[in-house]
Amino acid sequence: MTEKKRKTTYSIGIVLLGMLLGLLVGVMFGERLNRVKSPQVSATNTSSLISQVLALVDRAYVDKVDYDSVSGVMINAMLSSLDPHSGYMSAKETKSNGEMMEGHFEGIGILLHQHGDTVFASSITPHSPAFRAGVLPGDRILKVDTTWVSGRGFCKDMSNVVNLIRGPRYSTVTLGIQRGNTKKIQYIKLQRDVIPQKSVSVATMLDKTTGYIYIAHFSGTTATEFHSALLQLNKEGMKHLVLDLRGNPGGSLETAIRVADEMLPKGDLIVYTEGQHYQRERVKATSGGLFEEGQLTVLMNAFSASGSEVVAGALQDNDRATIVGHRSFGKGLVQRQFDMSDGSSLRLTVARYYSPSGRCIQRPYDKGSDEYYMDFLNSVTQDYELADSVMKAVYDTTQLFYTKKGRKVYGGGGIQPDVVLPYMKDSNLVYYNSLINKQIFDALVMDELSAHYADMIKRYPTAEVFLKEYKVDDATLQRIIARGEKAGIKRNDACLKRYGQEILSRYKASLAMSLYDDDVYYSIMLPYDWELQKALKTNYKL
């Protein structure tokens, strides 16, 4: 199952998922930086003390103990006392994290959607095992091998369904599905394979000279994807690039460096790293970047972290790009993964990274991990105000730095945009967000695909035909309203008057994403992205 790409939304609740992902990913040392000699670990009597405690628990504790779980908790407790981003990953978590960092995973290529007691195939990855076996968007998945996962008033937790379906390459899994109006269960046997996971979610031209690229995270394939996207947009006449890093939680530091290198001339400093056991290493841009000249705008928000901050910091400090949006998360710690013999791993902070001007944008964490995350959440949820605890620390004169051209920039808490956008406040959006959060659009799309997929794909064989000929009208809007009321969402006429067309477009975009791909979704919804539209009108002089 491919990870569901970010949809443009005004809902804080949905965006929090991106933040939580970012805290897990962080900035990881790439292959080149891993060549630094590993520090020697000295033995102490600590291990003896831990062994004594575990032996005592084994002899005297009232209940049976899961020692694997206890060990993980103990290690995490110790690491969290160091900093908020060091941590322990079980063997399963290590494998999952590795797949995300590599840009692919092993499975069958289905994006799942759960509604009520039923799991649906929401979209199918082209050329994947599911695609080749004939699984269709809208198919209801009732069984995985011999295990019932939905229907009959029963539905497993989605993470359990994912675990049942995913598995090693070349292994097999059998899905029991229902299609259309039939009650008969159809069984499809599939052989799992490697499924690519795009991190450059969309690359398109907004007009004759303006290109747009959205990078969801930095994986092992991002630099290649970004290079290909630049090649294509350059061919189409791009003179101005909008690079969207909103909600990008980071990933591979090496990849983030390669992305920045595409946009900086030879010799410009991109980043430097330094730690107690790691000597300072300065990384400079090389020649041959595909967009070293031309207007460049970078979109960021509070959930842009680590790797995305490396890119934005390099472009800002070298006066190469205008940064637009909101102050970023503020993660300037670099982790290295140390693998354990049982397949688990330690994600240990080994260095800090610094932007070309010398900024370390890491937010303070001296009050502990819990307070660290709570401060961040408070900063983005309390009335959407910019004057929060994170921002107050930024304007301390000791945090002042200068770009190559002498512009003032600040360290100590994220990347401060050159152009700060206000948070959008509109009470009418409560209704719109409720439709999103209760998955009304997705539920209607699954209904449509379950009943009419074959007819729709015959009538709209390509995305171009769909965009031109598929119509949404008042009858569509009434279905959305009725489905919302059934879910307990009271109709809001003021919202419908102001955002009715956008609501209809979102339904059409969600349907297009299941029928075709993410690019079609964005082509429909980007005109409604008010932050993007503000950025396009920005006339900030570097």
Side-chain angles (χ1 to χ4, degrees):
M1 282 131 284
T2 58
E3 179 184 353
K4 193 169 186 178
K5 306 299 189 299
R6 173 180 63 85
K7 298 179 181 179
T8 303
T9 177
Y10 306 117
S11 168
I12 278 289
I14 289 180
V15 179
L16 284 175
L17 295 177
M19 183 276 298
L20 292 173
L21 178 62
L23 305 182
L24 178 64
V25 176
V27 175
M28 300 293 288
F29 267 137
E31 187 174 311
R32 176 164 57 87
L33 296 176
N34 264 335
R35 294 174 186 162
V36 179
K37 185 178 180 181
S38 298
Q40 296 296 313
V41 180
S42 59
T44 68
N45 62 356
T46 302
S47 58
S48 175
L49 180 60
I50 292 173
S51 296
Q52 291 178 49
V53 171
L54 289 175
L56 182 59
V57 169
D58 188 43
R59 292 197 307 269
Y61 188 66
V62 63
D63 293 320
K64 185 177 180 181
V65 176
D66 180 349
Y67 285 99
D68 288 339
S69 176
V70 168
S71 297
V73 171
M74 289 174 62
I75 296 170
N76 266 318
M78 178 185 70
L79 294 176
S80 66
S81 70
L82 302 176
D83 69 82
H85 298 289
S86 292
Y88 169 81
M89 294 186 291
S90 66
K92 183 178 179 181
E93 291 168 335
T94 299
K95 184 176 185 298
S96 177
N97 188 65
E99 289 175 338
M100 183 166 59
M101 296 292 283
E102 291 167 5
H104 59 77
F105 63 91
E106 295 176 351
I108 61 174
I110 294 181
L111 177 64
L112 298 180
H113 168 73
Q114 179 180 328
H115 188 74
D117 69 351
T118 305
V119 175
F120 292 87
S122 177
S123 62
I124 312 299
T125 302
H127 313 300
S128 66
F131 179 88
R132 295 192 295 267
V135 180
L136 302 178
D139 282 349
R140 301 181 296 281
I141 301 174
L142 271 61
K143 293 181 71 175
V144 179
D145 289 325
T146 59
T147 303
W148 287 93
V149 296
S150 63
R152 300 180 177 181
F154 166 79
C155 186
K156 274 188 171 292
D157 180 86
M158 280 293 286
S159 62
N160 291 333
V161 180
V162 170
N163 290 334
L164 287 169
I165 293 178
R166 291 179 67 167
R169 187 182 189 187
Y170 302 129
S171 63
T172 61
V173 61
T174 300
L175 302 184
I177 68 169
Q178 284 182 338
R179 178 172 297 164
N181 296 321
T182 180
K183 299 297 182 183
K184 182 180 178 181
I185 299 179
Q186 175 183 350
Y187 290 93
I188 301 177
K189 188 175 183 178
L190 307 97
Q191 185 179 70
R192 299 179 177 100
D193 205 342
V194 174
I195 309 298
Q197 224 174 359
K198 285 200 311 180
S199 55
V200 176
S201 299
V202 59
T204 188
M205 293 294 290
L206 300 176
D207 57 39
K208 291 183 179 180
T209 60
T210 305
Y212 171 88
I213 296 176
Y214 168 55
I215 303 180
H217 60 274
F218 294 103
S219 72
T221 61
T222 304
T224 301
E225 293 176 46
F226 186 64
H227 185 86
S228 298
L230 288 176
L231 276 175
Q232 182 58 41
L233 296 184
N234 282 340
K235 288 179 182 178
E236 296 180 34
M238 179 176 65
K239 305 297 182 186
H240 174 201
L241 170 62
V242 178
L243 177 61
D244 193 345
L245 298 177
R246 289 175 296 177
N248 182 317
S252 164
L253 176 59
E254 185 76 10
T255 297
I257 289 170
R258 290 175 62 191
V259 167
D261 197 1
E262 292 280 12
M263 297 171 285
L264 290 169
K266 182 179 180 180
D268 276 2
L269 181 63
I270 296 174
V271 69
Y272 67 90
T273 58
E274 190 172 20
Q276 177 71 22
H277 300 284
Y278 291 84
Q279 295 180 352
R280 177 177 294 191
E281 180 170 356
R282 295 163 59 88
V283 183
K284 293 185 177 181
T286 60
S287 59
L290 291 181
F291 200 71
E292 293 180 357
E293 298 179 356
Q295 187 179 350
L296 181 58
T297 303
V298 177
L299 275 168
M300 300 191 78
N301 63 15
F303 302 95
S304 305
S306 55
S308 54
E309 293 174 303
V310 170
V311 174
L315 297 175
Q316 186 178 51
D317 285 2
N318 284 294
D319 299 294
R320 177 67 187 91
T322 301
I323 313 299
V324 179
H326 307 114
R327 173 165 287 276
S328 60
F329 181 85
K331 181 182 180 300
L333 302 178
V334 185
Q335 284 73 51
R336 179 175 173 184
Q337 182 171 308
F338 295 86
D339 295 329
M340 302 291 108
S341 59
D342 64 349
S344 64
S345 62
L346 292 184
R347 193 176 61 248
L348 188 65
T349 296
V350 295
R352 289 180 173 84
Y353 74 77
Y354 298 84
S355 72
S357 67
R359 289 183 287 170
C360 179
I361 54 80
Q362 176 63 47
R363 291 189 297 110
Y365 54 88
D366 53 305
K367 295 181 181 179
S369 295
D370 290 345
E371 192 70 22
Y372 174 78
Y373 292 126
M374 188 55 64
D375 281 348
F376 171 74
L377 292 176
N378 288 338
S379 74
V380 294
T381 56
Q382 288 178 353
D383 300 323
Y384 301 94
E385 296 294 340
L386 291 178
D388 54 56
S389 58
V390 175
M391 294 295 294
K392 288 175 184 176
V394 168
Y395 296 106
D396 188 313
T397 55
T398 60
Q399 300 287 331
L400 180 62
F401 297 85
Y402 295 91
T403 70
K404 186 181 288 186
K405 291 182 178 180
R407 295 185 302 123
K408 293 180 179 180
V409 289
Y410 300 90
I415 299 292
Q416 170 72 4
D418 301 304
V419 178
V420 179
L421 296 179
Y423 283 101
M424 188 173 187
K425 296 181 180 181
D426 187 343
S427 59
N428 292 317
L429 286 172
V430 173
Y431 175 76
Y432 187 4
N433 286 335
S434 296
L435 295 175
I436 296 169
N437 292 337
K438 292 202 174 183
Q439 302 182 320
I440 301 305
F441 298 100
D442 293 331
L444 287 169
V445 166
M446 291 303 101
D447 287 348
E448 183 81 0
L449 293 177
S450 293
H452 306 297
Y453 175 82
D455 292 337
M456 291 195 71
I457 208 67
K458 182 177 181 181
R459 185 173 180 181
Y460 311 107
T462 66
E464 291 73 21
V465 173
F466 178 87
L467 290 172
K468 183 178 180 180
E469 298 184 5
Y470 185 83
K471 305 300 181 185
V472 285
D473 51 22
D474 186 64
T476 308
L477 187 59
Q478 294 306 316
R479 290 202 304 273
I480 295 171
I481 294 168
R483 191 61 174 258
E485 290 178 334
K486 186 177 180 181
I489 306 171
K490 187 177 180 181
R491 177 188 181 120
N492 184 311
D493 289 327
C495 178
L496 293 169
K497 181 178 180 179
R498 182 165 183 177
Y499 297 106
Q501 188 56 50
E502 182 174 346
I503 289 172
L504 284 172
S505 295
R506 188 183 184 94
Y507 171 74
K508 180 175 180 177
S510 298
L511 183 58
M513 187 168 67
S514 287
L515 287 169
Y516 310 104
D517 56 39
D518 288 358
D519 288 348
V520 193
Y521 176 92
Y522 283 100
S523 69
I524 296 172
M525 293 307 297
L526 284 178
Y528 297 101
D529 186 337
W530 77 274
E531 290 185 340
L532 171 61
Q533 300 309 316
K534 287 277 188 182
L536 291 173
K537 296 175 183 177
T538 295
N539 191 27
Y540 183 86
K541 298 298 182 182
L542 291 171

